[in-house]
Amino acid sequence: VVCFFGCKQFTAFPFPKALKLIGDGAFAGCVRLESIQLPAGLEELGKQCFAGCAALQQVAIPEKVAAIPEEAFVGCNHIYKVSLPENLYAIHDGAFKGCGLLERLAVPDRTFAIGKDAFSGCMSLEQVTLGEDLHVIDNGAFSDCKRIEQLVIPDEVTTIGAGAFANCYGLRKLQLPKRLLTIEREAFTP
């Protein structure tokens, strides 16, 4: 369901308070959409729901949303602020890929996994805090995040995927987890 796909006239959108689901691709390509206020009762976001909304600047994900789906905000290159809910379980593949102005990220403690390329190409990302229950950082998750200078990877992380932090040229200080079992190829390649 791509109900507003490519609507170029929207700069904002008034979401109904009773809204529970925003479907796959619902607002993809709404290039002038600058601001959204997702309703507190929202429970689920669809894949690519806001993909390519290049003017979007801030996103606050409601508390009932348990996962950020694949490519939900891919190519939203003006997003500079993202607030994630405390109960977030997973950030899926490419969820925030190419959000080039995003500066800070706090992954909640209950988040189990960060998917492939989830934050790849977030070139302004400087400060990253990873939640204590994180277990998996998948392939390319933070690749091309050139401004991250220091990173503490939580002790529950067992796998760091291939190229997870590739081309993170600014990374100067790194603390690896005690339970780490696997560092895949080129995980930290400059």
Side-chain angles (χ1 to χ4, degrees):
V1 178
V2 288
C3 52
F4 295 102
F5 177 82
C7 290
K8 294 181 172 60
Q9 66 272 25
F10 288 134
T11 58
F13 189 84
F15 292 97
K17 288 181 181 180
L19 188 67
K20 300 290 183 202
L21 165 71
I22 297 175
D24 293 355
F27 292 89
C30 294
V31 294
R32 291 189 183 162
L33 187 61
E34 294 175 1
S35 70
I36 54 172
Q37 185 164 357
L38 299 174
L42 186 70
E43 297 174 359
E44 187 177 347
L45 295 171
K47 296 175 185 177
Q48 299 182 332
C49 55
F50 292 99
C53 293
L56 195 59
Q57 297 175 18
Q58 298 183 57
V59 172
I61 308 297
E63 285 300 319
K64 293 182 179 180
V65 174
I68 309 297
E70 290 87 349
E71 299 183 343
F73 297 93
V74 66
C76 295
N77 53 4
H78 280 88
I79 287 182
Y80 66 90
K81 184 176 181 182
V82 171
S83 298
L84 300 174
E86 288 302 313
N87 291 319
L88 190 69
Y89 181 75
I91 301 169
H92 291 287
D93 299 355
F96 293 95
K97 184 176 182 177
C99 293
L101 296 182
L102 184 62
E103 296 175 351
R104 289 179 177 81
L105 174 67
V107 176
D109 283 339
R110 294 185 181 167
T111 304
F112 182 83
I114 298 175
K116 294 177 185 174
D117 298 319
F119 295 95
S120 176
C122 294
M123 294 182 283
S124 298
L125 193 58
E126 292 178 1
Q127 184 178 353
V128 176
T129 305
L130 300 174
E132 62 186 38
D133 290 339
L134 189 64
H135 281 65
V136 177
I137 301 172
D138 213 335
N139 300 352
F142 291 93
S143 63
D144 298 313
C145 294
K146 300 174 186 334
R147 296 180 122 184
I148 298 174
E149 291 184 9
Q150 57 183 347
L151 189 63
V152 175
I153 299 177
D155 284 335
E156 295 298 321
V157 172
T158 57
T159 302
I160 298 174
F165 296 93
N167 300 320
C168 292
Y169 303 119
L171 193 58
R172 303 283 179 258
K173 186 176 180 182
L174 175 66
Q175 181 178 323
L176 292 173
K178 294 175 185 174
R179 296 188 177 154
L180 186 62
L181 300 174
T182 307
I183 299 175
E184 294 187 15
R185 63 178 167 70
E186 301 174 355
F188 297 94
T189 307

